[in-house]
Amino acid sequence: MFDAIGVSLSGLVFSGGAFYLCVGTFVGLLFGIIPGLGGPTALALLIPLTFGIDTQSAMFLAGAIMGAVPFGGSVTAILLNTPGTAPNAATVFDGYPLSRQGKAGLALGASGAASAIGGLLGVLVLFCVLPVAREIILAFAPPEFFMLAVLGLCAIAVSTEGKFLRGLIAAGIGLLIAYIGYDDISGTVRFAYGVDYLWDGLPLVPALIGLFAIAQILSLYVQGGSISEDPAKVKVTRVMDGVKAVFVHYPTLLRGSVIGAVIGAIPGVGGTVAAFLSYSTEVQLSKDPETYGTGNIRGVIAPESSNNAREGGALIPTLAFGIPGSAEMAVFLGLLVLHGIQPGPAVLLNHLDVVTTLMLALAFASVLASVFCLLVARQLAAITLIDVNYLVPVILCVSLVGAYALNNSMYDVIVAVVFGIIGYLMIRFDYPRLPLVIAMFLGAIVEVNFRQSMMISGGDWTTFFTHKISLVLFILVVLSLTLPIVRQLVKRRGAKKEAKA
């Protein structure tokens, strides 16, 4: 591990890693500040551009983007009551009231410090868990990987709040897409319908560009107007008071960071749940809960520390098992594939320097983003005044050029456009996109490991229950599917009792 860290530090100092770190941080801030874009869109746009650079530089770029996006989203949440990303919505509750009170600098300072320290703590958690994760990996065989992939699909589907059936539908469509092309076991071609381009399956990167970048910009275009309100009256002052407040309320910082790292490691749950859980935990533990929502600085520290810490946590299942913990991690897997790295156990066993490079990028980007954004917070917030009619052609051109540049193929552009339309329709009709993306990644894992398990056991399906780890994972699958149904039944009974009363 320490040798790999030395290699990563050398790349940062002597091989241009610092340049890509700064570029990634700036891009992450921009995409975090512009509501509706966020980390998945930034990564999807930049994946093709990393094709011509070495893997280590690409990891610095991607890690910096992931580390910078969360704080970028808090800027507009605090100044304009417009969260840049979904997890920043929890920051609005107390951040914007502080701005209304003329304490925008206080809120921004607290958000910046909490994001930076939370990001560092998340990386520390990742550093501590990785040695254990490597041992766990060696205990996994095809039955365990099959059950783990199924659990990832189920967890993602049921975590789409109030959209359980829609999440399962999206995951099912993703599985169908994943099975296009060569069968890895038999070598036969499936669902290609005579199109040679589909023999290798639908390419992931153009599909991701369409689902996130093109779909989101189409949604913004339909909404029309500018993204947010005029921030002319915002006063950015008292920044250092906010930084000091984080250290004064360090229990809030630590609780938020731990919650973020733990929740981030659960596939499909992600930063939104972590941020709101951190916020609600602080309200419940507080001696003055009535002050939350009116400008309590702890209401800013808790979700922002959690938001950044969850990036380190989300990398654990992504790197250890190839199961992305969030939409960002799903797109990041596409970057690994592009650079010839097989997601899953092979990353930890054969590419440990990639892991340490990501850790350094996340840590440094969290700090760098906070420092930079606090210096130019007011100017960056003005980006949200740009009319979407100017943003649409720019982002659309970059998306299509990026899709084409990957393989110099117009078919990739067509795939990006088609998935852009699909993504927009999913946004329009409120279908979650994350289950579809995760299923596209996990489809091959599910199929290959199921068939390998059957071959190893001679067709005995009980092999999934004779392995202890596989049996535990199966129980978790059943629980993940039944608990939402039980909760709905309990809510309905409670509603009926109240109606009768």
Side-chain angles (χ1 to χ4, degrees), residues 153-286:
L153 288 171
C154 295
I156 289 159
V158 301
S159 67
T160 51
E161 303 170 5
K163 306 173 187 175
F164 176 57
L165 181 58
R166 295 184 179 188
L168 288 178
I169 292 172
I173 295 173
L175 286 175
L176 291 176
I177 295 172
Y179 298 142
I180 295 174
Y182 275 110
D183 181 345
D184 291 332
I185 302 297
S186 67
T188 57
V189 178
R190 304 171 297 183
F191 310 117
Y193 302 105
V195 180
D196 294 350
Y197 175 77
L198 296 178
W199 283 14
D200 290 329
L202 280 172
L204 293 175
V205 175
L208 293 172
I209 291 175
L211 279 173
F212 290 100
I214 297 178
Q216 199 65 57
I217 201 62
L218 286 176
S219 179
L220 289 174
Y221 174 74
V222 172
Q223 293 175 12
S226 59
I227 293 175
S228 51
E229 301 295 329
D230 185 358
K233 296 182 180 181
V234 174
K235 295 181 179 180
V236 183
T237 56
R238 299 179 60 187
V239 173
M240 290 308 300
D241 289 344
V243 175
K244 294 176 183 176
V246 172
F247 294 96
V248 171
H249 301 292
Y250 68 90
T252 298
L253 172 73
L254 294 177
R255 278 193 294 266
S257 299
V258 171
I259 291 174
V262 172
I263 298 299
I266 302 175
V269 179
T272 304
V273 175
F276 278 94
L277 180 59
S278 297
Y279 184 86
S280 62
T281 300
E282 286 306 310
V283 174
Q284 294 170 7
L285 295 177
S286 176

Side-chain angles (χ1 to χ4, degrees), residues 29-37 69-93 95-97 99-100 108 220 223 226-231 234 304 380-381 383-385:
L29 283 173
L30 284 180
F31 277 76
I33 285 173
I34 299 177
L37 297 185
V69 163
F71 179 54
S74 72
V75 174
T76 49
I78 292 170
L79 299 180
L80 310 171
N81 201 31
T82 306
T85 64
N88 296 120
T91 308
V92 166
F93 296 147
Y96 188 65
S99 293
R100 295 287 299 272
L108 284 171
L220 289 174
Q223 293 175 12
S226 59
I227 293 175
S228 51
E229 301 295 329
D230 185 358
V234 174
E304 285 305 310
L380 288 173
I383 294 173
T384 58
L385 293 174

